[in-house]
Amino acid sequence: MKVFETEQAMAVAAARHTADVMRRAVAERGSGRMIVATGNSQIAFVTALAEEQVPWDRITVFHMDEYLGIEADHPASFQRWIRERVGERMRPAAVEYINGKAADADAECDRYEALLRAEPIDLTCMGIGENGHLAFNEPGAADFDDPRWVNQIKLTPESISQQVGEGHFADAQSVPHTAISLSIPALLASRTVQVVTPDARKAAAVRNTFVQEISPAYPSTILRTRANATLLLDRAAASASDELLAELALRVS
């Protein structure tokens, strides 16, 4: 865990880490593959990433979830988020999108899973939801041993509320209640896992990540089992964990 005084400092550190991981992957294999989270918590990081020297012409980008039934150009579409902030700005070699409007959602899950499994994933860039979810793997429903890498899921009321609170939808009725999401094993299959989590809204989820029993009831607790996972926080997100910081002798950067 690394804690930074501001969200911007956290974002710059995350961007530099991402650039290092992906440059190394391209140097070793000639190409790289990464999974990128969307949402408000990732905007500062992705903005900072655009300033780094990354061999984007050798990199394929995946995203980790998408609402079912939503148009690709909907303001809240994760496909649109990736396209505008990564695809059009960074110009990677390829961006593989989840099609939320697929006529057969099960077939779309199969298609996307096959793409993910085709070659190693070098880096997963993700966050933690307000209720502790990873992608849309919800508390109580997340499966740490899921044999599938891509599934249909049902959003919890807490996740629906988060989407409204972040300004993506006018009200809970407007939020699609189902989505396609990468599973926990898919997210953690990457050689490196980077978890960027700013904002006081995430403080309780961050604390639970460290103090709760490792269990699907708190999906983010699985991160404690992965030596290749790095959690980057700003001071606000770490605000409920001061005693943990002291115990771990972590210095705020």
Side-chain angles (χ1 to χ4, degrees):
M1 178 165 61
K2 298 180 180 180
V3 183
F4 300 85
E5 196 61 48
T6 66
E7 181 177 2
Q8 182 59 28
M10 178 210 65
V12 169
R16 289 174 179 168
H17 179 247
T18 294
D20 287 345
V21 170
M22 297 314 297
R23 284 194 297 261
R24 187 163 57 250
V26 171
E28 291 174 356
R29 300 201 326 275
S31 63
R33 286 156 47 98
M34 63 187 295
I35 298 167
V36 179
T38 60
N40 293 4
S41 67
Q42 305 300 307
I43 291 175
F45 153 59
V46 171
T47 301
L49 184 58
E51 304 302 317
E52 295 292 326
Q53 294 299 312
V54 179
W56 289 110
D57 61 336
R58 304 288 186 87
I59 293 172
T60 298
V61 173
F62 297 85
H63 62 131
M64 57 182 59
D65 43 24
E66 181 59 281
Y67 300 108
L68 278 171
I70 202 168
E71 299 286 348
D73 288 328
H74 187 285
S77 163
F78 298 141
Q79 181 176 159
R80 178 175 177 172
W81 196 105
I82 292 285
R83 185 179 70 246
E84 292 181 348
R85 291 181 171 86
V86 179
E88 294 175 355
R89 187 166 188 183
M90 320 292 197
R91 300 290 181 184
V95 181
E96 300 289 359
Y97 294 108
I98 298 171
N99 179 9
K101 289 289 287 183
D104 186 334
D106 287 335
E108 178 62 6
C109 290
D110 291 343
R111 182 191 72 84
Y112 209 71
E113 178 166 342
L115 290 172
L116 286 165
R117 288 184 180 273
E119 297 180 49
I121 303 292
D122 299 290
L123 175 64
T124 295
C125 298
M126 63 178 173
I128 298 174
E130 290 179 28
N131 66 355
H133 69 219
L134 300 179
F136 270 138
N137 295 283
E138 301 283 35
D143 184 350
F144 292 170
D145 300 308
D146 196 339
R148 293 296 309 270
W149 274 24
V150 185
N151 296 300
Q152 294 186 59
I153 60 89
K154 182 176 176 61
L155 275 65
T156 63
E158 292 79 9
S159 287
I160 291 169
S161 177
Q162 178 178 332
Q163 301 308 311
V164 176
E166 291 184 354
H168 303 302
F169 296 93
D171 50 48
Q173 290 68 39
S174 303
V175 183
H177 287 202
T178 55
I180 290 175
S181 176
L182 273 62
S183 67
I184 297 290
L187 296 172
L188 300 184
S190 299
R191 293 172 171 174
T192 302
V193 176
Q194 174 180 281
V195 189
V196 170
T197 308
D199 202 309
R201 293 181 300 108
K202 306 294 183 72
V206 167
R207 177 176 171 77
N208 285 334
T209 299
F210 289 97
V211 304
Q212 297 295 339
E213 179 182 357
I214 297 172
S215 158
Y218 296 92
S220 60
T221 57
I222 193 64
L223 295 170
R224 292 182 3 227
T225 70
R226 296 301 192 271
N228 65 336
T230 299
L231 176 59
L232 295 92
L233 309 171
D234 67 357
R235 166 49 73 183
S239 60
S241 306
D242 286 340
E243 73 278 15
L244 288 174
L245 298 179
E247 181 179 340
L248 296 170
L250 291 175
R251 179 175 60 82
V252 178
S253 300

